[in-house]
Amino acid sequence: MPKLISPLTDIQLRNAKPAEKSYKLSDGGGLYVEVMPNGAKFWRMKVRQANGKESRLTFGAYPDVALVNARAERGRVKQQQAAGVDPAQSRRIEKLQKKTDAVNTFEVLAREWHANKAETWKPGTAKEAISRLENDVFQRIGNRPITDVDAPLMLDVLRQIEKRGAVDMAARVGAYCSAVFRFAIAKGIVKYNPIPDLRGALKPRAKGHHAAIGTDELPEFLTALATAEAGMFQPTRIMLRLMLLVFVRTSELIETPWAEIDLGNETWVIPWSRMKMGKKLLNPRKLDHHVHLPRQGWALLRELHRLTGHGAYLFPNRNDHERPASNGAILMALRRMGYSGKMTGHGFRSLAMGVIKARLGYRHEVVNRQLAHGSTDEYGEAYDREQFQEERKVMMQAYADYIDMAESGGNVIPVSFKRA
């Protein structure tokens, strides 16, 4: 008849004193505590492997692993044995998986995905992608094993972006994360991409045109801008004024390096690779974009150069001057002016189109070229480059003068501004 073993108690475990040699206190079912000469107490369990050999499993040290938890581990091992699973081999696999998970964090996989894709992207696109991941994702889940990142966790990450009012940015970051999961699936690290499951749980992206004020609302907007400028950082004030005067795309202004600006000759040329058109086939000849500034615009750039000209970008990031400012800077400034939902960075382009065509009488194709809207006609692009440059310079000065008159409260009826 086998010897009956009385289950251990916490009092026994706490009072167990070290001896010259290690000894065991059995709890039954193969589970015991080994008391070491230095006083350490380790939970161990005798198991018989599939090949008939006996081995030992270690569950950790007492009291870090409580008596009740050690017994739960014993129960789990018993269940494995009943199912025909070798507990020792199962634990080796678990340890290996934990090591693999520790290496394959979300950030590690995301950076590997980014490095793999960056060669096929424009530099600005690659920089924007990694910047968004660093700012909005890595800080929250970067150190987690990607296998632990599920739909509820990703939903929380993206909703934090939505709370800033950046609904489009949340969608863009979600697309980046989805690509990271697809990359991890291809490597055999995860089996599932949680991003598609978030459909319906996030706010829909705005459809149609970006919010923009109308031409009749320009004087009121200029008054609000002049009032708000006193509380703005100087670069932010200049950023808004340049958007109003030059109406390039938001990213094209924010990400502009000083290397593109020639203050002496008053020229600004954006390389085709940095333009939105560089992503499409609507610029087959890869033409650079000449941005024509009025004298008011060049005055703003000279003022800005005294502030940021020592760095790489016109508008450096406040936390890292090696990177450009966030694309949300203009939206935040407009929100502080009380124009949230009424005006956007893209809205300056719509406003300029309305003023220049309806109030100043310029042809659509001339304004269109200043907006860098490409032509599907290869020869049309060439004609633009050769014939529209001077006309655009005159147009941009007329537009800037119109804005000055509107801000001063003067008559902005287009009679004196209309082209001859």
Side-chain angles (χ1 to χ4, degrees):
M1 183 175 180
K3 182 180 178 181
L4 295 177
I5 299 174
S6 298
L8 294 171
T9 65
D10 275 312
I11 293 177
Q12 283 179 277
L13 293 168
R14 287 197 300 269
N15 293 338
K17 304 299 182 185
E20 186 176 344
K21 293 183 179 181
S22 63
Y23 65 94
K24 303 174 184 177
L25 296 174
S26 181
D27 189 59
L31 179 66
Y32 62 91
V33 166
E34 185 172 8
V35 183
M36 310 303 289
N38 63 1
K41 302 165 185 176
F42 293 100
W43 288 109
R44 307 198 194 279
M45 182 177 176
K46 289 192 300 183
V47 295
R48 193 165 298 279
Q49 301 181 47
N51 59 11
K53 293 183 179 180
E54 192 176 84
S55 63
R56 301 286 187 276
L57 302 179
T58 299
F59 298 151
Y62 178 86
D64 295 337
V65 177
L67 175 59
V68 64
N69 294 331
R71 286 172 175 165
E73 282 295 307
R74 177 181 61 193
R76 190 169 73 90
V77 170
K78 293 290 187 183
Q79 288 178 345
Q80 289 177 329
Q81 288 177 313
V85 175
D86 186 331
Q89 183 179 6
S90 176
R91 287 175 67 82
R92 284 194 294 271
I93 293 173
E94 287 178 8
K95 288 180 180 179
L96 180 62
Q97 185 62 51
K98 287 180 179 179
K99 288 182 180 179
T100 302
D101 288 346
V103 171
N104 291 321
T105 63
F106 186 91
E107 180 173 351
V108 166
L109 269 298
R111 289 191 182 279
E112 187 177 345
W113 162 78
H114 181 267
N116 189 54
K117 293 289 292 182
E119 293 181 0
T120 66
W121 286 340
K122 296 190 305 178
T125 302
K127 187 176 292 186
E128 166 71 10
I130 198 64
S131 174
R132 293 270 61 86
L133 289 170
E134 288 172 345
N135 293 336
D136 293 319
V137 182
F138 294 168
Q139 293 181 18
R140 295 187 172 92
I141 62 170
N143 61 351
R144 284 178 176 260
I146 194 169
T147 51
D148 289 353
V149 180
D150 55 12
L153 189 55
M154 281 306 316
L155 178 62
D156 179 68
V157 169
L158 298 179
R159 278 184 171 168
Q160 296 306 313
I161 304 173
E162 283 187 342
K163 287 179 180 178
R164 304 198 307 258
V167 175
D168 282 358
M169 183 59 68
R172 192 180 313 168
V173 171
Y176 292 149
C177 292
S178 184
V180 172
F181 278 105
R182 291 196 301 271
F183 178 72
I185 289 171
K187 294 192 68 176
I189 296 169
V190 296
K191 296 182 179 179
Y192 139 82
N193 179 358
I195 303 299
D197 291 345
L198 304 184
R199 289 173 185 161
L202 293 168
K203 295 178 182 178
R205 300 179 73 168
K207 295 183 179 179
H209 297 292
H210 297 268
I213 61 171
T215 54
D216 292 338
E217 299 171 278
L218 176 60
E220 182 180 349
F221 176 82
L222 292 171
T223 299
L225 175 58
T227 301
E229 283 179 324
M232 290 182 185
F233 288 103
Q234 285 181 283
T236 303
R237 175 183 64 79
I238 294 172
M239 183 189 301
L240 280 175
R241 287 286 177 175
L242 284 173
M243 281 298 299
L244 179 64
L245 287 174
V246 187
F247 50 87
V248 291
R249 294 179 179 89
T250 303
S251 61
E252 290 163 4
L253 177 64
I254 297 287
E255 297 172 8
T256 297
W258 278 109
E260 287 180 9
I261 306 293
D262 184 345
L263 291 174
N265 294 310
E266 294 193 344
T267 59
W268 176 11
V269 180
I270 303 178
W272 71 271
S273 59
R274 205 167 68 77
M275 300 293 296
K276 180 181 180 183
M277 302 309 299
K279 301 177 184 177
K280 301 182 179 180
L281 297 178
L282 300 182
N283 190 359
R285 300 181 65 184
K286 300 181 178 179
L287 299 180
D288 299 335
H289 179 57
H290 292 250
V291 184
H292 297 300
L293 281 78
R295 62 178 179 275
Q296 296 92 326
W298 287 113
L300 286 169
L301 280 180
R302 289 188 174 91
E303 180 183 354
L304 181 64
H305 191 265
R306 291 192 291 271
L307 301 172
T308 68
H310 57 280
Y313 293 98
L314 271 65
F315 303 100
N317 189 291
R318 290 181 193 169
N319 299 322
D320 182 0
H321 289 184
E322 297 302 312
R323 292 167 40 216
S326 164
N327 274 351
I330 290 176
L331 279 177
M332 290 175 65
L334 290 170
R335 188 179 302 127
R336 286 192 290 268
M337 287 173 55
Y339 276 81
S340 179
K342 301 176 185 177
M343 188 61 168
T344 61
H346 197 279
F348 287 107
R349 294 165 65 79
S350 300
L351 173 65
M353 174 75 85
V355 169
I356 293 173
K357 288 176 62 180
R359 301 298 175 90
L360 303 182
Y362 277 85
R363 291 174 293 152
H364 176 83
E365 57 265 37
V366 181
V367 189
N368 224 32
R369 295 305 186 266
Q370 183 64 27
L371 289 165
H373 287 165
S375 170
T376 55
D377 180 357
E378 180 177 350
Y379 299 101
E381 291 283 4
Y383 180 76
D384 163 35
R385 190 170 192 174
E386 298 299 325
Q387 301 296 326
F388 286 171
Q389 302 293 351
E390 293 303 318
E391 190 171 356
R392 282 161 54 191
K393 290 178 184 178
V394 175
M395 176 187 75
M396 294 300 289
Q397 188 59 59
Y399 175 61
D401 293 342
Y402 180 95
I403 290 173
D404 282 351
M405 184 174 287
E407 186 166 13
S408 67
N411 180 11
V412 292
I413 301 300
V415 175
S416 60
F417 283 93
K418 283 234 182 196
R419 296 174 62 247

